[in-house]
């Protein structure tokens, strides 16, 4: 059996202190940074209006023109408060609280309420017209505003927003990333390549379907995703993975106005189904992988796949980059090939039939290196500043997408390797301790297993992992997550994530049920601690030299939702505080005398089977 860790008589392990000290695991790269619960100056729009940023200059569009676009009945002439009869619009929003003078207010039907219930608020804030369905028409007309009625206002909202803001996406190189895992990381890595290309004055990509040409050299880059949106270096806190269509088109317009020429963007299945990317045609659509998630929104995996599949149509994208190694990716590339849709494939496993493949992969505790081999046999030295084989796949996906967009592969690889990190994705927390401490967003079974496998490969000692499951969604994955943590950790601390309206103990009971299904000889010590901060402290208290403490599930998130109240909570801050607290306790504790040890008895050791040390 493989000996992993010996329990000593002292919590602070004084015998180990007499051994040669291990170096700090502090990395040399700059920290990726995180968002905070309270917006900082670089996260707040200088505008006084609520909601996402809007462009400063918009050409008014007459309502009659909008009606023609929607094939809607032209609204009756409406006399505004200033006596004008020729009404034009300068913006659009689906949020009645964020209406600005000149807006079209999109009053959408909802599960419990209808947007038309708030149309009076929109009118009072300066809306000039309402886009709604027949169910909201009467209430909208009662305000005296012009009304554009269509059967599916959500399905037309993106197109309308793109028109109002002058179709800004047409002036941006757009790379959209979809899949279950790795969207955020891949988007950051793509952004790194785009930044390097802009820095070197490399022209933007030609439209893959048009050939030739190219956009203006240089320019800023944009990023839109789960953690944040960025306009150059300005950061904006994200409310969801993909913004609503009204906000997205406005954001594109702001990017164009401020000199952005390219954007990397996460595209969720919700965004595709709910029309949030209507009005977008991506130059490159990237498919990373597909595994069970959001099955509270999608009835089954086939529906989930078909939702993702929508990105890879002429309506949504001009070309595709697809993961050859993924089961659903292989299905997708086969279907696209039959349809004649342009596809470039990548294989982190090195499959020779992929257009781009990874060879000579070297995995390290803080990153990996590999050689990217292209379709003509060209070889590019590449690296990714994040541990784990799955991040080799993310980096190769980013490189392939950048090359498909017309960027030199060496430039792309250089930019990817210089990305300092991704908030909440294998993010290291270093307070000078002699063990590794990591925060990661993994919140589904496959992702939890992948992170644990990756961490085990670079951990000399034991792995102490903390994990919870979110409430009110995906309850089917809780037993599998509890089982994965118990099977692959030396210490599995089951705790709360965002319980939302559910009882945290009920969630934990389901996770514990999954952990109990793991045979006793294959699982580590399982602890239950409802309080997440206490759970993190419990994991840190068990850490010894060469171990790893892994806090999973929330990643970049800055709050914890308990019973409908969101309290500030940052895993990186709580983990760092626990490390400092433990160090202070050990420094203050009296030093126990060294006692020679005989051969350890089985009861004094923790052993792991080969299966547990995969």
């Amino acid at each position: 059996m493989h000996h992993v860790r010996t329990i000593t008589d002292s919590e602070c392990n004084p015998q180990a202190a007499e051994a040669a000290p291990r170096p700090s695991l502090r990395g040399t790269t700059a920290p990726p940074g995180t968002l905070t619960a309270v917006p900082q100056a670089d996260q707040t729009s200088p505008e006084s209006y609520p909601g996402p940023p809007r462009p400063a200059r918009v050409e008014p569009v007459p309502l009659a023109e909008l009606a023609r676009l929607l094939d809607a009945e032209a609204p009756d002439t409406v006399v505004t408060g200033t006596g004008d009869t020729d009404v034009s619009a300068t913006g659009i929003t689906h949020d009645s609280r964020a209406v600005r003078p000149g807006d079209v207010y999109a009053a959408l039907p909802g599960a419990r309420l209808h947007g038309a219930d708030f149309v009076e608020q929109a009118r009072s804030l300066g809306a000039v017209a309402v886009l709604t369905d027949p169910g909201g028409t009467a209430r909208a007309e009662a305000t005296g505003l012009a009304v554009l009625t269509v059967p599916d206002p959500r399905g037309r909202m993106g197109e309308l927003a793109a028109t109002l803001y002058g179709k800004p996406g047409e002036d941006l190189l757009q790379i959209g990333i979809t899949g279950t895992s790795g969207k955020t990381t891949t988007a950051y890595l793509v952004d790194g390549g785009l930044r390097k290309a802009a820095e070197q004055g490399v022209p933007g990509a030609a439209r893959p379907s048009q050939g030739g040409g190219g956009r203006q050299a240089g320019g800023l880059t944009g990023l839109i995703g789960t953690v944040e949106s960025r306009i150059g270096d300005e950061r904006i806190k994200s409310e969801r993975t993909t913004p609503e269509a009204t906000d997205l088109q406005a954001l594109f317009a702001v990017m164009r106005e401020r000199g952005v020429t390219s954007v990397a963007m996460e595209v969720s299945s919700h965004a595709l189904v709910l029309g949030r990317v209507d009005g977008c045609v991506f130059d490159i659509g990237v498919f990373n992988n597909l595994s069970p998630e959001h099955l509270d929104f999608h009835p089954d995996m086939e529906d989930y796949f078909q939702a993702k599949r929508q990105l890879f149509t002429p309506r949504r994208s001009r070309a595709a980059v697809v993961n050859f190694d993924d089961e659903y990716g292989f299905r997708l590339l086969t279907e696209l090939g039959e349809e004649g849709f342009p596809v470039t494939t990548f294989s982190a496993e090195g499959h020779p039939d992929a257009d781009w493949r990874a060879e000579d992969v070297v995995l390290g505790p803080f990153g990996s290196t590999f050689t990217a081999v292209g379709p003509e046999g060209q070889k590019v030295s590449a690296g990714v500043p994040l541990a784990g084989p799955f991040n080799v796949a993310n980096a190769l996906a980013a490189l392939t997408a950048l090359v498909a967009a017309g960027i030199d592969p060496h430039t792309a690889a250089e930019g990817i390797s210089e990305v300092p990190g991704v908030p909440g994705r294998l993010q290291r927390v270093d307070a000078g301790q002699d063990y590794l401490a990591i925060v990661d967003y993994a919140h589904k079974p496959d992702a939890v297993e992948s992170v644990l496998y990756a961490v085990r490969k670079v951990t000399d000692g034991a792995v102490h992992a903390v994990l919870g499951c979110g409430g009110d969604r995906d309850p089917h994955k809780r037993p599998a997550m509890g089982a994965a943590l118990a099977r692959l950790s030396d210490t599995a601390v089951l705790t709360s994530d965002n319980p939302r309206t559910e009882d945290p103990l009920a969630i934990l009971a389901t996770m514990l049920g999954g952990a109990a299904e793991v045979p006793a000889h294959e699982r580590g010590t399982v602890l239950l601690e409802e309080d997440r901060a206490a759970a993190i402290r419990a994991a840190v208290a068990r850490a010894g030299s060469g171990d790893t403490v892994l806090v999973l599930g929330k990643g970049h998130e800055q709050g914890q939702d308990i019973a409908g109240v969101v309290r500030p909570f940052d895993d990186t801050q709580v983990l760092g505080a626990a490390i400092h607290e433990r160090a202070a306790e050990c420094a203050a504790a009296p030093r126990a005398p060294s006692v020679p040890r005989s051969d350890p008895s089985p009861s004094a050791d923790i052993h792991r089977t080969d299966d547990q040390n995969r």
Side-chain angles (χ1 to χ4, degrees):
M1 291 186 177
H2 178 68
H3 176 67
V4 172
R5 181 175 178 228
T6 300
I7 300 176
T8 66
D9 294 332
S10 169
E11 179 188 4
C12 298
N13 202 4
Q15 292 186 30
E18 293 185 355
R22 292 171 62 95
S24 166
L25 294 172
R26 178 179 291 112
T28 58
T29 58
T34 60
L35 301 176
T36 57
V38 179
Q40 295 183 1
D42 66 344
Q43 298 170 331
T44 305
S45 170
E47 300 164 326
S48 59
Y49 291 103
R54 300 269 199 100
R57 298 176 298 278
V58 178
E59 189 70 27
V61 180
L63 293 186
E65 182 177 333
L66 297 180
R68 286 193 296 271
L69 174 70
L70 297 170
D71 294 322
E73 182 179 347
D76 295 333
T77 300
V78 176
V79 180
T80 68
T82 60
D84 295 331
T85 58
D86 186 14
V87 181
S88 294
T90 54
I92 182 171
T93 182
H94 62 285
D95 185 345
S96 62
R97 299 164 298 182
V99 166
R100 303 184 187 189
D103 273 0
V104 173
Y105 168 53
L108 309 177
R112 292 178 295 176
L113 298 172
H114 196 292
D117 296 333
F118 307 99
V119 72
E120 182 58 40
Q121 180 183 31
R123 185 202 62 77
S124 69
L125 292 173
V128 297
V130 180
L131 171 68
T132 191
D133 66 347
T137 300
R139 279 169 286 178
E141 289 178 341
T143 64
L145 294 175
V147 180
L148 301 167
T149 301
V150 295
D152 178 21
R154 179 179 286 280
R156 308 303 300 276
M157 194 166 64
E159 179 185 13
L160 198 65
T163 299
L164 280 165
Y165 294 121
K167 298 184 177 179
E170 293 183 355
D171 297 316
L172 304 172
L173 166 64
Q174 300 176 62
I175 299 179
I177 301 106
T178 198
T180 302
S181 299
K183 293 189 297 296
T184 299
T185 298
T186 303
Y188 272 82
L189 298 178
V190 167
D191 180 67
L194 293 173
R195 284 180 173 236
K196 179 56 65 174
E199 176 186 309
Q200 295 181 358
V202 176
R207 298 288 192 193
S209 62
Q210 296 174 359
R215 292 178 177 77
Q216 182 180 358
L220 301 176
T221 67
L223 176 72
I224 301 173
T226 303
V227 176
E228 63 187 351
S229 292
R230 285 204 312 231
I231 306 172
D233 291 325
E234 180 185 352
R235 298 160 55 225
I236 303 165
K237 190 175 185 295
S238 292
E239 297 299 328
R240 51 174 58 92
T241 298
T242 310
E244 283 287 358
T246 52
D247 297 335
L248 178 61
Q249 294 299 326
L251 186 56
F252 281 163
V254 173
M255 288 180 175
R256 179 180 62 183
E257 192 172 71
R258 298 184 188 177
V260 169
T261 58
S262 58
V263 59
M265 175 176 161
E266 297 180 52
V267 183
S268 67
S269 62
H270 289 69
L272 291 160
V273 171
L274 299 176
R276 293 176 189 163
V277 290
D278 287 354
C280 299
V281 181
F282 294 92
D283 294 283
I284 305 293
V286 181
F287 182 91
N288 273 350
N289 49 64
L290 200 73
S291 61
E293 193 187 23
H294 301 311
L295 296 183
D296 52 344
F297 181 77
H298 301 285
D300 51 37
M301 285 298 293
E302 180 62 22
D303 185 80
Y304 187 25
F305 171 74
Q306 292 300 335
K308 298 288 191 183
R309 178 75 168 80
Q310 292 182 37
L311 180 61
F312 305 95
T313 63
R315 179 190 174 203
R316 302 285 193 194
S317 297
R318 295 184 172 88
V321 166
V322 179
N323 186 354
F324 191 98
D325 302 327
D326 182 76
E327 175 187 357
Y328 284 97
F330 192 83
R331 172 183 168 183
L332 176 61
L333 70 91
T334 302
E335 293 178 3
L336 294 179
E338 293 172 352
E339 297 170 5
F341 195 84
V343 184
T344 306
T345 58
F346 66 93
S347 171
E349 296 176 6
H351 198 288
D353 291 339
D355 294 307
W356 283 88
R357 63 186 186 274
E359 295 183 352
D360 306 321
V361 177
V362 178
L363 302 175
F366 306 127
S368 302
T369 60
F370 62 97
T371 299
V373 182
E376 304 300 325
Q378 64 266 53
K379 295 188 175 182
V380 179
S381 296
V384 58
L386 297 163
F390 51 89
N391 280 317
V392 173
N394 291 334
L396 187 60
L399 188 147
T400 305
L402 290 161
V403 173
I407 293 172
D408 176 77
H410 296 279
T411 299
E414 185 179 356
I416 289 168
S417 68
E418 292 179 1
V419 173
V422 180
R425 274 64 177 175
L426 289 179
Q427 183 176 345
R428 301 194 304 276
V429 176
D430 198 328
Q433 77 278 7
D434 59 354
Y435 52 89
L436 193 60
I438 297 174
V439 168
D440 191 82
Y441 189 53
H443 59 284
K444 44 193 170 284
D446 286 356
V448 170
E449 289 186 359
S450 295
V451 170
L452 283 165
Y453 282 133
V455 166
R456 276 219 167 273
K457 289 179 181 294
V458 298
T459 300
D460 294 333
V463 175
H464 313 283
V466 179
L467 176 68
C469 289
D472 298 338
R473 59 192 62 174
D474 284 339
H476 68 278
K477 69 184 182 184
R478 296 169 187 172
M481 291 174 66
L485 202 73
R487 188 176 67 253
L488 298 172
S489 305
D490 294 281
T491 306
V493 188
L494 306 181
T495 189
S496 297
D497 187 277
N498 291 308
R500 300 184 177 89
T501 65
E502 286 196 64
D503 182 347
L505 290 181
I507 298 173
L508 284 174
T510 308
M511 294 182 70
L512 181 60
E517 292 295 321
V518 179
H521 68 281
E522 292 183 11
R523 68 175 181 249
T525 300
V526 177
L527 306 178
L528 292 180
E529 175 52 70
E530 179 183 350
D531 182 89
R532 189 173 181 88
I536 292 172
R537 291 194 295 270
V540 169
R542 298 175 75 91
S545 178
D547 289 357
T548 294
V549 174
L550 185 60
V551 181
L552 300 171
K554 291 177 63 61
H556 64 280
E557 293 179 359
Q558 303 298 300
Q560 187 177 26
D561 187 338
I562 302 175
V565 178
V566 179
R567 300 166 174 82
F569 197 101
D570 182 339
D571 276 353
T572 59
Q573 293 182 4
V574 175
L575 178 54
I579 293 170
H580 282 293
E581 181 182 327
R582 168 85 187 284
E585 290 173 354
C586 289
R591 185 181 179 85
S594 177
V595 178
R597 291 179 60 91
S598 58
D599 290 338
S601 65
S603 61
D605 296 274
I606 293 179
H607 295 287
R608 305 293 285 170
T609 64
D610 290 339
D611 179 67
Q612 289 168 292
N613 282 282
R614 289 175 292 179

